[in-house]
Amino acid sequence: MKHFIYVVFLFVIIGCSGDDDGNPVNPPSNSSGLTGIWHLVNVTGGFAGINDNFEKGVIVWDFDDTKKRVEVTNNNAANSSTEDLFPTGVYTFSIVTINGNKELIVNERNLGNFEITTNEFIVDEQFKDGFRYTFQR
C-alpha cells in the first residue's frame, strides 16, 4: 500500500511540474494572412467581360491585420474607366464566412468570395455578374 501512495504522489508531482503559464499551446488565430503589401494585377468579368491587367506598383494595398485596416494607393488616374476598386485612402476590412464561403469586406462593401495562397489572393464576385480581382505579393 505504501508503494501505491508513492506512485500516486509521484504522478501528481510530475503532472503539476510542467511549464503551465496559462497560455494555450496553439492560440486561436484571427489572422487573415493578408498582412503586408499586395498589388492588384488583374480584373476580369462584369457585364462587358473586361480583362484589365495592371503593372505591380500601380494599385497597392497594404493590409494591417492587427488594426483590420488596409491602406490603398491607387496610381491608376490615367484610366478612370478601368475597374480598380477604391481610390487612395485608408479603409477597414474584415473576412466573414457566409454559407461556408469566406468573403472579403472592405469599407463595408462585400467584394465577394475570398481565396488566399502564399503569394496571391483572389476576390471573386462573378457569381453575381461582378468582377474577379487578383492580387499578388
Side-chain angles (χ1 to χ4, degrees):
M1 181 70 173
K2 205 157 82 171
H3 293 289
F4 177 73
I5 292 174
Y6 287 129
V7 170
V8 170
F9 183 74
L10 182 63
F11 279 119
V12 169
I13 296 295
I14 291 173
C16 294
S17 67
D19 183 9
D20 185 13
D21 58 2
N23 292 329
V25 175
N26 293 316
S29 174
N30 292 353
S31 176
S32 65
L34 287 173
T35 295
I37 294 176
W38 295 86
H39 304 269
L40 179 62
V41 295
N42 181 264
V43 178
T44 59
F47 289 117
I50 68 161
N51 186 7
D52 291 326
N53 293 311
F54 301 98
E55 294 290 323
K56 283 187 174 182
V58 173
I59 302 171
V60 179
W61 289 30
D62 188 358
F63 286 89
D64 182 339
D65 224 354
T66 305
K67 295 179 181 176
K68 297 299 183 194
R69 296 180 353 166
V70 58
E71 182 176 348
V72 175
T73 304
N74 188 335
N75 297 311
N76 190 37
N79 192 351
S80 62
S81 66
T82 304
E83 173 60 35
D84 57 13
L85 287 169
F86 295 99
T88 297
V90 177
Y91 305 95
T92 60
F93 82 93
S94 62
I95 296 175
V96 297
T97 302
I98 300 174
N99 295 326
N101 295 315
K102 287 185 178 181
E103 298 187 12
L104 178 63
I105 312 290
V106 176
N107 203 37
E108 298 183 21
R109 176 179 166 192
N110 188 330
L111 300 181
N113 294 341
F114 170 77
E115 296 178 32
I116 188 169
T117 62
T118 304
N119 294 313
E120 182 175 85
F121 81 84
I122 295 172
V123 181
D124 191 348
E125 62 178 2
Q126 288 180 319
F127 62 91
K128 59 182 181 181
D129 291 326
F131 297 99
R132 176 183 168 114
Y133 306 97
T134 303
F135 291 80
Q136 293 179 347
R137 287 235 185 243

